[in-house]
Amino acid sequence: MFAEASLSIWGWGGLGVVLFLITFGPFAIFYLAFYILCFIGGGFVVLLLFGKINSEKHLERCEHSFLPSTQMAILKVLEEIKSESKPIKIDRRLTGSSIIDEPLQQVIQFALRDYIQYWYYTLSDDETFLLEIRQTVQNALVEFSTRSKEVDWQPYFTTRLVDDFATHLRVFRKAQERLNEREDPKQRDAPDELLDSFFEAEVEMERKICRDVVCTSRKDEEGYLRDLCEVLLYLLLPPGDFHDKNMRYFLREVLARGVLLPLINQLSDPDYINQFIIWMIRDSSCNYEAFLNILKLTDKVAELEAVKDKVLEELQYLRSLDTGADDINFIKNQINSLLFVKKVCETRIQRLQSGKEVDALKLAANFGKLCVIPLEHILVHNIALQFFMDYMQPMGGQAILFFWLTVEGYRVTAQQQLEVLQSSQRDGKRQSSQTTKGLLRAAALGVYDQYLSEKASPRVQVDEASVTRLAQKLNKEDPTPEIFDEIQKKVYDMMLRDERFYPSFKQHPLYVRMLAELDMLKEPSFRGSEDGDGESFNGSPTGSINLSLDDLCSGSVDEYAQLHAFISDTADAFLNQLPVAGVCNDHGKTYALYTITVIRKNSDGSEDVWKTYRRYSDFHDFHMRITEQFESLGPILKLPGKKTFNNMDREFLEKRKKDLNAYLQLLLNPEMVKGCPVLIPYVYDFLENKAYSKGKGDFARKVPPLIAKSDIDPEHCRVSAQLDDNVDDNIPLRVMLLLMDEVFDLKERNQWLRRNIKNLLQQLIKATYGDTINRKIVDHVDYMTSPEQVSDYVKRFRDSYWPNGILAETPPRRDKSLRMRTRVAAKTTLLGIMPDELKHIIGAETTRKGILRVFDMFQHQPLNRRLACVFLEGFLETLFPQYKFPELFVKLHSRSPRVLRYSQKLRSLHKR
């Protein structure tokens, strides 16, 4: 039944479909579907329109029933806000000096116009934000100006800057020395290796600071500048402006990326520094000899190629000229000179590319064709004598050499003393001849005891008969300047003829180095054969040349012999019977005198009380004496430092008095006395009521790096750690000693030469009125920081960045050839301004190496960035001395991985 019903449904259904298609056609089904969709869509549209109309009517009824008019209320609020807003008044006073404020206001206006307004007006027409920015900048400038006026800039410019530069040069020199010790030449020439060596040396010196990350990573450098600028904004901005994050971040980005970063980029560009060097020394005439020396010494093929291309260009121009008979000789000379320069460049390029670059000193020594300098000239020239001393020491002849020099010193001193005695007698002045003869006898006996007596060690070995005759003369006769002549002549003959001394010295590498320092060593040159493989030595002619040093000596025999003269020191007058400490004046020099009240308890219960008067220099000498005798006291006892300027200020003297009192109390602490009982006699001698006998000379106290011992490795500390730059107001001498020691690496020379240089510099400063130079330096610093000069700096900055009020375009990067020629020109200029007198004092080769070392230091941009950061940090520490900027810099730079590795290395060494 179910099957029959299903068949019936499908049958009738199929019949209905067939009849529908026959009646309406095959497309009827599509029409039906379309009609159905239209019916449904129309229904939805009618419902939507009906609902919308009813909803609007309902909302309108609700709005009129419960809410006021929205449009009128908003307009009213806007009108009230505009009526309440008042214009911001800008105070145009910034520094208190109108000559500075006027150009500075122009700089602010130009900066706002070109760096802010051009994009801000695309966002809004409201001037309030721009006025707020201007007001905030002006507030910061006012605070900066106020702090600058409170700072004494003289110590910064005369001490801190010099120390930072010299320390940077020391680290660079150490990095070069480490590279030169490597055997692989590719590692020595790789710039990355130099940077690694430099920053390794920096972390060894600074211990907690390394600026490698800041100087080599652009991202880290920007982060460092942002942190620094945020601290500056905290110090310079009013609290309300600083706590406004939007304003603070905006100013931080403008200051860090718009001011400091472009400034560091420009100052660290080697090409910019080279141009600046040429501009600074623009008044000096071109030195053709220095130019040729630079071409012969350079190891950069790019520099030689650039010079060669310029020479070819000039040759082409000269050959194209149509000149008359009058100019033909001049042009021929120019062409010949250019052809010679071209030949020098080609020869040098060939040597560098062929790998035949050799050490000129070794090559000259192998050929043996050297100038022969007589012994008599070596003994009177400071540079030659230095090398001869270095040779004589291992050969066992230093004693006879020192004897000869000491006798020369005695002769000079004796002649001077006798001349003074005769002059005073002619003038009718009373001067005891017995006193003068007694001094000379004591000096002569001192020479005899030190070098010729049986107790002398080492003893000068001469025949006993001559020594006996000399001893008899000293006992029976008054000493004369010529009393040592017989033995001195024998000692001279011994040095001249003994094969161990002068004859062997002429064949020693030290002799070749001596000739190089005297600029008397011909540089070997290669003359290529037709195939370019041949080489020959173009040096001195065959055979020996006896050459005198008269034209090279910068001083006579007397000048150098006086270094070994016996001089009798007389104590300065001592001020006594002063009721209280005060400021005293001795021959125009002002100093402070401190009163020490000493109370000593005796065994019987009684007390001895007395007052002792001491200068700070006495304290300093006493401190040096005991710390040398007892090295363990060095880290414990800290003597308060001196102050270069305003050291007679009452507040400063009061502070120093308290510090000195604390120093003495620590020194006399029972635990200190118990732990070091041997110290008591030194302390008692210092506190006795008598004139204090200094154990150190004045210069020994003032210049520790040259003649005073130190418990610090001088190569692993800042220069200022060795040079007490506050011990004296003699700025020229301090600066010259500091820079010469670092630029020319005088620590490699023997102590005799260093003392010689020190004495010559000291005499030079005194001869040229050192106090006058010192005052001029101080006056010049005051002039540099005067309102007139600051105004000039601002105007120059304005005119360079906005010439004629329009922002200057970024200059295109100069092509490589031009930059290479600028390098050559800068090196030539630096080497050309070095006076011949300097070469005579420290040597020609040392002078060249020192100047080229300074130049090479500026050719590495990351290292220049490091120096710029150091200068900036020193400036901020000077500007804000009351804040802990040194600790901040330690935190910022301790992020370097090198600092972490170095700290771990130190900890591992301590554990061992």
Side-chain angles (χ1 to χ4, degrees):
M1 291 294 293
F2 180 76
E4 292 179 358
S6 298
L7 181 63
S8 154
I9 293 171
W10 283 106
W12 287 106
L15 180 62
V17 171
V18 171
L19 293 175
F20 179 82
L21 293 176
I22 294 172
T23 305
F24 297 102
F27 295 101
I29 191 168
F30 295 105
Y31 293 137
L32 179 62
F34 176 74
Y35 294 150
I36 294 173
L37 289 176
C38 288
F39 176 79
I40 295 173
F44 275 110
V45 171
V46 170
L47 290 175
L48 180 63
L49 292 175
F50 177 77
K52 179 181 179 184
I53 294 171
N54 287 323
S55 298
E56 288 177 351
K57 290 180 180 181
H58 178 72
L59 289 175
E60 187 176 357
R61 288 195 301 270
C62 294
E63 182 179 356
H64 287 289
S65 300
F66 304 104
L67 297 176
S69 176
T70 304
Q71 186 175 9
M72 295 178 59
I74 294 176
L75 292 175
K76 186 175 180 180
V77 171
L78 291 175
E79 291 176 358
E80 290 179 356
I81 293 176
K82 290 181 179 180
S83 62
E84 291 179 358
S85 63
K86 299 180 180 179
I88 300 176
K89 295 182 179 180
I90 300 295
D91 189 355
R92 301 182 65 85
R93 293 175 298 178
L94 298 174
T95 64
S97 176
S98 59
I99 59 176
I100 301 178
D101 292 348
E102 181 180 353
L104 197 55
Q105 286 287 354
Q106 292 179 347
V107 170
I108 296 175
Q109 180 63 37
F110 292 155
L112 291 175
R113 181 195 66 190
D114 295 328
Y115 292 104
I116 298 178
Q117 291 178 2
Y118 84 96
W119 58 263
Y120 176 75
Y121 282 138
T122 63
L123 304 177
S124 173
D125 295 331
D126 188 9
E127 300 282 347
T128 306
F129 176 76
L130 297 177
L131 294 176
E132 291 285 352
I133 287 285
R134 187 183 187 112
Q135 183 64 49
T136 303
V137 171
Q138 292 195 172
N139 290 337
L141 288 175
V142 169
E143 182 66 22
F144 179 83
S145 173
T146 303
R147 291 187 179 272
S148 298
K149 294 176 183 178
E150 298 173 354
V151 174
D152 183 8
W153 291 105
Q154 292 172 358
Y156 173 73
F157 286 108
T158 60
T159 301
R160 179 62 187 263
L161 270 181
V162 181
D163 174 50
D164 287 341
F165 176 79
T167 302
H168 184 81
L169 181 59
R170 169 176 292 182
V171 179
F172 180 75
R173 177 170 52 79
K174 284 182 61 64
Q176 281 189 324
E177 291 173 355
R178 292 183 179 183
L179 286 184
N180 292 334
E181 293 173 358
R182 300 184 181 181
E183 297 180 356
D184 189 357
K186 294 183 179 179
Q187 289 186 346
R188 292 198 298 263
D189 298 335
D192 293 340
E193 294 293 333
L194 177 62
L195 294 181
D196 290 340
S197 298
F198 180 92
F199 289 113
E200 288 292 340
E202 182 191 25
V203 75
E204 291 175 3
M205 179 188 67
E206 300 283 359
R207 297 180 182 272
K208 297 181 180 180
I209 288 179
C210 186
R211 301 174 178 86
D212 56 343
V213 175
V214 172
C215 299
T216 56
S217 171
R218 179 66 177 267
K219 180 180 178 181
D220 290 301
E221 183 182 29
E222 291 180 357
Y224 162 77
L225 293 177
R226 288 192 184 100
D227 294 338
L228 208 58
C229 291
E230 191 150 3
V231 175
L232 286 177
L233 292 176
Y234 172 78
L235 298 175
L236 296 177
L237 290 181
D241 291 338
F242 178 78
H243 291 300
D244 184 351
K245 289 187 177 181
N246 293 329
M247 181 69 72
R248 183 170 81 242
Y249 292 160
F250 180 81
L251 291 179
R252 184 191 69 181
E253 291 299 314
V254 170
L255 186 58
R257 302 191 62 183
V259 178
L260 292 181
L261 188 59
L263 183 63
I264 293 176
N265 288 338
Q266 184 172 17
L267 295 180
S268 62
D269 183 14
D271 187 54
Y272 175 81
I273 296 176
N274 296 336
Q275 295 179 66
F276 185 75
I277 291 173
I278 298 173
W279 177 81
M280 285 289 292
I281 322 175
R282 60 189 179 278
D283 296 332
S284 63
S285 58
C286 182
N287 191 319
Y288 187 69
E289 181 182 358
F291 175 64
L292 291 180
N293 283 334
I294 291 299
L295 294 181
K296 295 176 182 178
L297 293 173
T298 184
D299 55 354
K300 304 292 184 183
V301 176
E303 294 180 5
L304 298 168
E305 292 284 0
V307 174
K308 178 184 172 183
D309 293 342
K310 187 64 177 178
V311 167
L312 293 176
E313 181 182 336
E314 291 294 324
L315 283 173
Q316 184 178 3
Y317 170 74
L318 290 175
R319 287 167 176 167
S320 65
L321 292 178
D322 185 10
T323 60
D326 295 336
D327 298 332
I328 190 65
N329 292 330
F330 175 74
I331 292 179
K332 282 184 177 180
N333 291 334
Q334 282 189 313
I335 291 176
N336 290 334
S337 298
L338 291 173
L339 289 174
F340 179 74
V341 173
K342 174 176 171 291
K343 182 62 177 178
V344 171
C345 293
E346 291 175 345
T347 304
R348 183 67 178 168
I349 292 172
Q350 179 186 358
R351 289 168 58 179
L352 291 173
Q353 292 179 342
S354 63
K356 294 181 178 179
E357 178 64 14
V358 295
D359 190 346
L361 300 180
K362 294 181 180 179
L363 188 59
N366 292 335
F367 275 81
K369 302 173 182 179
L370 305 172
C371 302
V372 177
I373 302 178
L375 178 61
E376 57 182 309
H377 294 293
I378 292 178
L379 294 176
V380 298
H381 192 277
N382 62 335
I383 298 176
L385 182 57
Q386 169 225 340
F387 286 97
F388 192 51
M389 281 182 178
D390 292 342
Y391 171 78
M392 293 289 280
Q393 183 175 5
M395 302 305 295
Q398 198 171 29
I400 63 175
L401 176 58
F402 280 162
F403 171 77
W404 190 92
L405 293 172
T406 304
V407 169
E408 285 297 306
Y410 166 80
R411 177 185 290 107
V412 172
T413 303
Q415 290 174 350
Q416 290 177 347
Q417 293 289 340
L418 293 177
E419 290 175 0
V420 171
L421 177 62
Q422 294 173 1
S423 175
S424 61
Q425 290 176 350
R426 286 195 302 268
D427 296 339
K429 298 180 181 179
R430 295 183 178 180
Q431 182 170 349
S432 174
S433 60
Q434 294 300 325
T435 302
T436 302
K437 293 178 181 178
L439 291 174
L440 294 181
R441 180 179 297 277
L445 288 174
V447 176
Y448 177 82
D449 291 339
Q450 184 176 0
Y451 294 102
L452 299 174
S453 64
E454 294 182 357
K455 62 181 181 180
S457 179
R459 186 185 184 192
V460 176
Q461 300 297 327
V462 292
D463 60 285
E464 291 295 333
S466 300
V467 176
T468 303
R469 285 195 297 271
L470 175 62
Q472 292 175 352
K473 289 182 180 179
L474 291 174
N475 291 329
K476 296 179 181 179
E477 304 175 6
D478 291 332
T480 62
E482 298 81 16
I483 194 171
F484 292 100
D485 281 3
E486 179 184 357
I487 297 181
Q488 187 188 25
K489 185 178 184 303
K490 292 184 178 182
V491 167
Y492 179 84
D493 291 339
M494 185 189 308
M495 290 189 294
L496 180 65
R497 304 184 190 285
D498 195 321
E499 287 296 328
R500 296 175 300 166
F501 303 140
Y502 177 67
S504 297
F505 174 62
K506 292 186 294 182
Q507 308 299 325
H508 198 271
L510 281 173
Y511 185 80
V512 182
R513 290 182 56 193
M514 179 191 72
L515 293 180
E517 290 288 1
L518 297 174
D519 213 13
M520 299 170 65
L521 181 66
K522 297 289 185 179
E523 183 193 5
S525 62
F526 290 84
R527 295 179 180 176
S529 59
E530 293 181 0
D531 56 358
D533 294 332
E535 66 180 49
S536 65
F537 176 73
N538 182 17
S540 303
T542 305
S544 298
I545 301 176
N546 287 292
L547 184 60
S548 171
L549 291 181
D550 292 340
D551 57 334
L552 295 179
C553 284
S554 58
S556 61
V557 178
D558 295 349
E559 292 180 26
Y560 302 108
Q562 285 176 3
L563 295 174
H564 303 274
F566 288 84
I567 303 173
S568 177
D569 295 329
T570 57
D572 295 334
F574 184 76
L575 298 176
N576 206 345
Q577 306 300 328
L578 290 178
V580 292
V583 178
C584 307
N585 190 289
D586 183 18
H587 296 89
K589 187 171 184 178
T590 304
Y591 58 90
L593 201 63
Y594 298 90
T595 304
I596 306 174
T597 302
V598 185
I599 303 175
R600 183 181 62 183
K601 293 184 178 181
N602 300 320
S603 57
D604 57 358
S606 61
E607 293 182 349
D608 294 333
V609 182
W610 68 86
K611 292 183 183 295
T612 299
Y613 303 94
R614 294 287 182 256
R615 296 173 55 175
Y616 178 84
S617 60
D618 301 330
F619 279 93
H620 193 277
D621 184 272
F622 171 70
H623 179 74
M624 290 184 63
R625 182 184 296 184
I626 63 174
T627 51
E628 285 186 3
Q629 291 289 333
F630 312 99
E631 295 183 358
S632 60
L633 297 179
I636 303 174
L637 292 173
K638 298 298 181 183
L639 187 70
K642 273 196 174 183
K643 184 180 180 182
T644 306
F645 304 99
N646 301 324
N647 53 7
M648 292 295 109
D649 182 70
R650 172 56 59 182
E651 294 182 2
F652 172 74
L653 292 179
E654 287 296 328
K655 182 180 182 301
R656 176 183 285 175
K657 183 176 69 174
K658 294 179 181 178
D659 293 340
L660 291 176
N661 184 64
Y663 175 84
L664 289 176
Q665 294 297 334
L666 177 61
L667 189 64
L668 295 174
N669 186 283
E671 295 296 330
M672 179 79 73
V673 176
K674 183 180 178 181
C676 190
V678 190
L679 181 65
I680 296 176
Y682 293 89
V683 178
Y684 184 78
D685 179 72
F686 179 74
L687 296 178
E688 275 194 300
N689 187 9
K690 64 178 183 179
Y692 180 64
S693 176
K694 290 184 172 62
K696 296 283 183 182
D698 290 337
F699 207 84
R701 289 183 288 104
K702 294 177 182 178
V703 192
L706 292 182
I707 54 179
K709 294 193 298 183
S710 174
D711 59 350
I712 302 175
D713 185 356
E715 293 299 309
H716 290 81
C717 63
R718 293 181 63 87
V719 176
S720 59
Q722 298 170 259
L723 184 61
D724 189 359
D725 48 30
N726 289 326
V727 299
D728 195 65
D729 286 345
N730 198 335
I731 300 172
L733 181 60
R734 183 180 64 242
V735 171
M736 290 177 66
L737 286 172
L738 188 149
L739 289 181
M740 288 191 67
D741 216 15
E742 293 305 320
V743 173
F744 302 109
D745 196 14
L746 299 182
K747 290 178 288 299
E748 286 190 353
R749 323 303 288 271
N750 61 31
Q751 292 298 314
W752 182 88
L753 178 66
R754 300 180 74 199
R755 286 195 296 269
N756 189 4
I757 294 173
K758 178 260 296 181
N759 290 335
L760 290 175
L761 289 177
Q762 191 176 19
Q763 294 171 8
L764 175 64
I765 295 297
K766 289 182 177 179
T768 55
Y769 304 99
D771 294 338
T772 303
I773 298 177
N774 192 75
R775 285 195 300 272
K776 287 184 177 180
I777 293 177
V778 174
D779 293 342
H780 186 66
V781 173
D782 292 337
Y783 171 73
M784 289 171 58
T785 55
S786 64
E788 293 78 12
Q789 282 300 108
V790 174
S791 173
D792 186 61
Y793 302 150
V794 176
K795 290 178 181 177
R796 292 187 181 185
F797 174 79
R798 177 198 62 191
D799 296 338
S800 61
Y801 274 81
W802 291 279
N804 299 321
I806 301 174
L807 183 64
E809 297 181 359
T810 303
R813 181 172 175 82
R814 307 196 317 159
D815 62 272
K816 182 179 179 180
S817 178
L818 184 57
R819 286 185 280 116
M820 291 297 105
R821 290 200 298 270
T822 305
R823 280 172 57 99
V824 175
K827 284 193 285 187
T828 303
T829 306
L830 283 174
L831 198 61
I833 64 170
M834 289 296 105
D836 292 336
E837 290 77 11
L838 181 63
K839 299 176 183 178
H840 296 161
I841 294 175
I842 63 176
E845 187 70 14
T846 299
T847 302
R848 281 194 292 266
K849 286 183 178 180
I851 295 301
L852 294 179
R853 179 186 295 117
V854 174
F855 177 82
D856 290 339
M857 182 184 70
F858 286 119
Q859 305 311 306
H860 303 274
Q861 190 164 16
L863 304 188
N864 296 338
R865 303 184 88 86
R866 187 260 178 193
L867 187 59
C869 288
V870 170
F871 285 163
L872 177 60
E873 292 168 5
F875 176 81
L876 294 178
E877 290 179 19
T878 306
L879 186 63
F880 302 99
Q882 68 273 32
Y883 297 104
K884 299 180 180 180
F885 266 100
E887 296 180 8
L888 172 65
F889 295 138
V890 170
K891 291 180 180 179
L892 292 179
H893 295 302
S894 60
R895 304 168 184 172
S896 169
R898 280 190 172 89
V899 175
L900 180 60
R901 290 197 300 267
Y902 184 75
S903 301
Q904 294 174 348
K905 178 181 177 181
L906 288 181
R907 285 195 294 269
S908 63
L909 291 176
H910 284 275
K911 290 180 181 179
R912 295 178 185 175

